[in-house]
């Protein structure tokens, strides 16, 4: 690839959005990725079923991973900014599984923004995951009742202890993967009971369920013993065998707008039943659900309902907590979630090029080569010059050093748009003649640096590479030491830069005509007589 317009544009600064290629915003394609000839690449977007695709995001990512493996990619980067229903998926999946969604394919923390390090990211994930649900509920005022109902609902569906926020989000994500869109996982469980050697029809079972629930409802939600429930239902259902069968199957499961609770009284050791109203959480659909013993999570719940519950938790825990929750536990949650959201740059290493390549007995030589640019006829000190990553160059044994430089020149011109006018001139740190054979002086796996120049004088050599050195001074309250791609603003006096967010300058507003950093503002305040 001789040029990559998406990589050519600088993605930093206030006008980054306007320079972004239009085709990146198109939603008609399923996958947009770039692979450079040196093995480095970028995954730019994936559109799954949410964009009316017949393929899921998992299937598209599997395909992309096979492409990168087949083409022997070295390193692929991705900016994880995916959202669903106003939820940042890197936060949701991080809480549920301890890694972003792209982590399933080996993408890991690459670099953080606003001074976030990998250690900070990992500690933030672990901190949110380990928050006990019982402790979390104590901090809620409004809407405590709705939050508690959601906790209880998925605790019941799980059948296992969901003790922490991480347990809850993981179960919800795993359950969501098993549900079909807008369909119930067990729409009519009475029919399933009939199919499992049951002598009663689904209509009779459904009638018995209605009678038992009505008896529990008339008890005004107090606990009733199994015998009391059975006696109350016998006024309408004379078949005691049917009642015993339903009472045995009906416990801790959703029935219409209620959960039928079943528990053993710790004093009398008698089985008791009670109703819990969840009409604010479940929508009444007039159907009943008895669980399959092998799948305790079965319930009358759709994927859309589950997503709404997750969005509800996401909103009131992470995005819009009550104003009274700005200290203590929720203050820590806000800090930790911000750290996770500031860790969106992910990287996957497919092949790590080692400085030492073992000889496999092949005749061809495998060399690791990079370049060093000359500026105004002065060769930069290689130890101080930022060079691009090494490219793997494979040459036959009869190649001369002049031919090797031509191959290196071609490789880097095809890889970097800014090097399209690059001309290789000399090999540094190795005393050779251009007509010497490479095989006689260099072993396979050796690292070489080729010096050269750019014929196009208008190209600024600074910023050609991804690992460029910045000339400006960055001093920000977040502790960032280098440009991380986030919006920045510079002081109009000292020209020191800091993040817009850290300087409390909204990214949606125009840059102020005059902006002063805190240090310069303080200096001016000390000398009020100055204009």
């Amino acid at each position: 690839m001789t040029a990559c317009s998406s990589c050519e544009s600088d993605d930093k600064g206030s006008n980054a959005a306007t320079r972004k290629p239009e085709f990146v915003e198109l939603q008609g394609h399923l996958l947009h990725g770039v692979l450079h000839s040196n093995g480095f690449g970028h995954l730019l977007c994936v559109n799954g079923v949410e964009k009316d695709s017949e393929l899921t995001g998992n299937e598209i990512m599997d395909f992309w991973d096979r492409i990168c493996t087949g083409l022997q990619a070295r390193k692929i980067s991705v900016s994880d900014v995916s959202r669903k229903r106003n939820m940042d998926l890197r936060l949701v999946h991080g809480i549920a599984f301890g890694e972003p969604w792209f982590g399933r394919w080996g993408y890991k923390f690459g670099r953080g923004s606003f001074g976030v390090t990998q250690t900070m990211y990992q500690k933030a994930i672990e901190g949110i995951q380990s928050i006990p649900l019982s402790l979390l509920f104590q901090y809620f005022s409004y809407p405590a009742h709705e939050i508690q109902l959601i906790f209880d609902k998925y605790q019941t569906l799980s059948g296992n202890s969901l003790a922490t926020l991480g347990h809850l989000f993981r179960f919800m994500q795993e359950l969501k993967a098993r549900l079909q869109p807008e369909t119930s996982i067990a729409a009519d469980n009475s029919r399933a009971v009939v199919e499992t050697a049951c002598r009663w029809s689904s209509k009779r079972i459904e009638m018995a369920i209605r009678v038992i629930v009505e008896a529990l409802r008339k008890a005004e939600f107090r606990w009733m013993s199994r015998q009391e429930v059975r006696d109350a239902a016998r006024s309408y259902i004379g078949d005691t065998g049917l009642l015993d069968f339903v009472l045995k199957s009906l416990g801790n499961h959703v029935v219409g707008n209620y959960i039928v609770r079943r528990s053993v009284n710790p004093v009398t050791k008698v089985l008791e039943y009670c109703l819990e109203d969840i009409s604010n959480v479940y929508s009444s659909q007039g159907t009943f659900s008895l669980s399959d013993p092998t799948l305790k999570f079965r319930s009358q719940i759709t994927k859309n309902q589950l997503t709404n519950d997750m969005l509800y938790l996401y909103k009131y825990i992470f995005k819009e907590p009550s104003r009274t929750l700005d200290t203590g536990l929720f203050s820590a949650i806000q800090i930790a979630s911000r750290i996770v959201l500031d860790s969106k740059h992910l990287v996957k290493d497919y092949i790590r090029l080692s400085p030492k390549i073992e000889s496999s007995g092949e005749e061809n030589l495998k060399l690791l080569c990079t370049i060093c640019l000359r500026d105004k006829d002065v060769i930069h000190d290689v130890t101080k010059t930022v060079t691009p990553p090494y490219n793997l160059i494979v040459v036959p044994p009869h190649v001369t050093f002049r031919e090797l430089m031509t191959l290196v020149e071609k490789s880097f011109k095809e890889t970097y748009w800014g090097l399209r006018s690059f001309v290789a001139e000399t090999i540094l740190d190795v005393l050779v003649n251009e007509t010497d054979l490479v095989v006689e002086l260099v072993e396979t796996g050796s690292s070489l640096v080729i010096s050269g120049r750019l014929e196009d004088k208008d190209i600024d050599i600074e910023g050609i590479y991804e690992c460029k050195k910045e000339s400006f001074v960055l001093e920000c309250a977040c502790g960032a030491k280098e440009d991380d791609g986030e919006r920045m603003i510079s002081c109009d006096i000292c020209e020191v830069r800091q993040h817009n967010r850290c300087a409390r300058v909204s990214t949606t507003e125009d840059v102020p005509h005059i902006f002063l950093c805190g240090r310069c503002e303080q200096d001016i305040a000390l000398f009020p007589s100055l204009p």
Side-chain angles (χ1 to χ4, degrees):
M1 180 177 294
T2 57
C4 174
S5 57
S6 63
C7 303
E8 177 189 2
S9 63
D10 187 4
D11 196 24
K12 305 175 177 63
S14 60
N15 296 325
T18 59
R19 289 194 296 268
K20 196 171 186 179
E22 294 182 359
F23 65 85
V24 177
E25 303 292 344
L26 297 178
Q27 302 298 326
H29 51 260
L30 304 181
L31 170 70
H32 181 200
V34 176
L35 273 175
H36 299 290
S37 59
N38 65 345
F40 289 83
H42 320 281
L43 176 58
L44 300 180
C45 77
V46 174
N47 292 323
V49 293
E50 290 78 11
K51 300 298 181 181
D52 299 326
S53 167
E54 295 181 359
L55 299 177
T56 65
N58 290 342
E59 293 172 329
I60 297 174
M61 278 301 301
D62 287 339
F63 175 65
W64 168 253
D65 198 54
R66 291 196 299 270
I67 291 177
C68 295
T69 302
L71 296 178
Q72 297 183 338
R74 289 167 61 181
K75 183 180 291 186
I76 304 296
S77 66
V78 60
S79 183
D80 184 8
V81 293
S82 53
R83 295 170 61 85
K84 183 178 293 185
R85 298 282 297 273
N86 294 322
M87 293 185 291
D88 293 281
L89 295 187
R90 61 186 180 280
L91 179 57
V92 173
H93 281 269
I95 298 172
F97 304 105
E99 62 180 11
W101 180 74
F102 291 98
R104 302 177 185 178
W105 293 271
Y107 289 85
K108 301 182 181 301
F109 180 94
R111 61 178 175 85
S113 301
F114 303 100
V116 173
T117 64
Q118 185 172 5
T119 301
M120 293 170 60
Y121 169 76
Q122 197 61 41
K123 292 295 184 182
I125 287 289
E126 295 172 357
I128 299 177
Q129 284 182 319
S130 62
I131 295 176
L133 293 180
S134 57
L135 178 62
L136 187 65
F137 178 72
Q138 296 176 7
Y139 280 82
F140 280 105
S141 53
Y142 174 83
H145 180 63
E146 289 77 5
I147 297 291
Q148 183 65 60
L149 287 178
I150 293 177
F151 288 174
D152 290 343
K153 180 202 303 188
Y154 291 98
Q155 180 70 67
T156 301
L157 299 180
S158 172
N160 299 313
S161 175
L162 301 179
T164 66
L165 197 60
H167 292 156
L168 175 62
F169 270 73
R170 184 181 185 113
F171 174 72
M172 294 176 76
Q173 285 292 103
E174 291 176 344
L175 177 59
K176 182 180 178 181
R178 299 178 183 181
L179 293 174
Q180 297 297 324
E182 302 305 326
T183 59
S184 173
I185 194 169
D188 187 4
N189 211 65
S190 61
R191 182 174 56 190
V193 174
V194 175
E195 294 174 354
T196 56
C198 176
R199 68 175 186 268
W200 294 282
S201 66
S202 59
K203 289 185 178 180
R204 294 195 64 190
I205 292 176
E206 190 172 316
M207 177 57 70
I209 294 173
R210 292 179 183 273
V211 170
I212 290 173
V213 170
E214 182 62 21
L216 291 171
R217 192 184 65 80
K218 289 181 178 180
E220 297 181 351
F221 302 100
R222 69 175 177 86
W223 286 94
M224 296 178 64
S225 68
R226 177 182 178 278
Q227 188 61 44
E228 289 177 326
V229 178
R230 189 172 182 266
D231 291 342
R234 284 192 63 186
S235 302
Y236 303 93
I237 303 293
D239 191 339
T240 55
L242 173 60
L243 293 177
D244 290 339
F245 174 80
V246 173
L247 285 172
K248 181 180 179 180
S249 305
L250 189 64
N252 294 330
H253 294 87
V254 177
V255 178
N257 293 331
Y258 306 98
I259 290 181
V260 181
R261 298 293 190 187
R262 182 177 64 184
S263 178
V264 177
N265 190 302
V267 177
T268 63
K269 307 300 181 183
V270 173
L271 194 63
E272 295 182 338
Y273 292 82
C274 179
L275 282 187
E276 180 179 339
D277 189 355
I278 56 171
S279 57
N280 291 332
V281 180
Y282 284 115
S283 60
S284 177
Q285 298 181 8
T287 57
F288 300 96
S289 172
L290 291 175
S291 292
D292 186 333
T294 61
L295 295 175
K296 292 185 178 181
F297 58 79
R298 284 180 178 263
S299 176
Q300 186 181 338
I301 183 173
T302 65
K303 179 174 289 189
N304 188 55
Q305 290 173 330
L306 190 149
T307 302
N308 287 337
D309 288 340
M310 186 173 292
L311 179 60
Y312 196 86
L313 295 177
Y314 184 89
K315 176 180 178 181
Y316 284 105
I317 297 177
F318 300 106
K319 301 302 291 185
E320 300 178 13
S322 171
R323 292 184 179 179
T324 61
L325 305 177
D326 56 356
T327 60
L329 178 64
F330 276 85
S331 176
I333 291 178
Q334 295 304 305
I335 295 174
S337 60
R338 174 49 57 190
I339 291 175
V340 176
L341 293 176
D342 288 339
S343 306
K344 57 178 176 289
H345 301 290
L346 311 177
V347 171
K348 177 176 180 179
D349 283 331
Y350 282 85
I351 300 176
R352 294 179 179 268
L353 286 184
S354 172
K356 296 182 179 179
I357 300 177
E358 298 294 336
S359 176
S360 59
E362 299 177 356
E363 294 184 356
N364 292 338
L365 293 177
K366 295 181 178 179
L367 304 175
L368 298 176
C369 301
T370 188
I371 67 169
C372 176
L373 292 177
R374 292 175 54 190
D375 184 20
K376 296 181 180 179
D377 299 326
V378 177
I379 300 179
H380 291 277
D381 185 350
V382 178
T383 61
K384 297 181 180 180
T385 301
V386 176
T387 59
Y390 283 83
N391 278 10
L392 178 61
I393 307 296
V394 180
V395 297
H398 56 78
V399 167
T400 64
F401 281 98
R402 178 65 260 177
E403 293 171 329
L404 173 62
M405 287 191 292
T406 302
L407 292 174
V408 173
E409 176 185 307
K410 181 176 183 295
S411 175
F412 280 87
K413 288 172 68 173
E414 292 180 345
T415 301
Y416 297 92
W417 178 245
L419 298 178
R420 58 190 180 275
S421 64
F422 172 71
V423 177
E425 295 179 325
T426 60
I427 298 178
L428 300 181
D429 300 330
V430 180
L431 297 177
V432 297
N433 295 320
E434 292 186 354
T435 56
D436 291 339
L437 293 178
V438 176
V439 70
E440 294 178 351
L441 299 175
V442 176
E443 296 180 354
T444 188
S446 298
S447 301
L448 299 176
V449 180
I450 288 83
S451 172
R453 57 183 172 81
L454 296 178
E455 291 186 331
D456 188 349
K457 302 300 182 181
D458 295 331
I459 296 180
D460 182 9
I461 65 173
E462 297 293 337
I464 291 180
Y465 318 128
E466 185 177 281
C467 52
K468 65 180 181 178
K469 288 184 177 179
E470 303 290 356
S471 58
F472 61 81
V473 178
L474 173 60
E475 291 183 6
C476 193
C478 67
K481 301 301 181 183
E482 59 183 13
D483 188 359
D484 53 15
E486 303 296 337
R487 289 175 178 264
M488 293 188 179
I489 189 170
S490 61
C491 176
D492 287 305
I493 295 180
C494 65
E495 297 185 350
V496 170
R497 293 193 183 186
Q498 56 185 309
H499 293 113
N500 286 40
R501 192 179 83 184
C502 299
R504 300 183 181 277
V505 177
S506 174
T507 56
T508 60
E509 300 176 358
D510 295 335
V511 177
H513 295 292
I514 297 178
F515 173 76
L516 303 180
C517 65
R519 182 184 303 171
C520 292
E521 282 185 339
Q522 185 177 8
D523 291 343
I524 292 177
L526 295 176
F527 299 97
S529 60
L530 293 178

